[in-house]
Amino acid sequence: MVKGGSPLEQRVDLYRTWSSKAAELALAADHPGAKNRCTHSAGIWALIANAIETGHDRDVAHLTNNLLLLNDGCFVAAS
């Protein structure tokens, strides 16, 4: 992840990094269910990054409404 750049660029980079990691996991997965979940996750992370880049705050809010970003860069689903 790029440490410099504007806060917007850092947010986009965070989601692009997660998308890339999920895509890599999908490619490496042996189990069809794991492959599908990782592929879906990669797509969602990319959608969030795209929405941030294009300024679609409503879409970002919709896509992230149940996610919490922890200080260590991990995401958890909030109930």
Side-chain angles (χ1 to χ4, degrees):
M1 184 180 316
V2 177
K3 297 293 181 195
S6 72
L8 179 84
E9 291 169 330
Q10 290 177 9
R11 275 183 77 198
V12 169
D13 187 51
L14 173 75
Y15 287 105
R16 296 256 182 252
T17 298
W18 277 81
S19 178
S20 177
K21 288 180 181 183
E24 288 174 9
L25 290 171
L27 288 172
D30 291 332
H31 188 272
K35 185 177 291 289
N36 287 338
R37 284 188 300 278
C38 290
T39 299
H40 177 74
S41 292
I44 295 298
W45 299 131
L47 284 174
I48 295 169
N50 292 343
I52 294 169
E53 280 183 325
T54 57
H56 291 115
D57 297 334
R58 193 173 187 186
D59 291 341
V60 174
H62 174 74
L63 291 165
T64 61
N65 69 350
N66 70 335
L67 293 178
L68 297 175
L69 176 60
L70 304 178
N71 286 336
D72 64 357
C74 293
F75 287 101
V76 294
S79 45

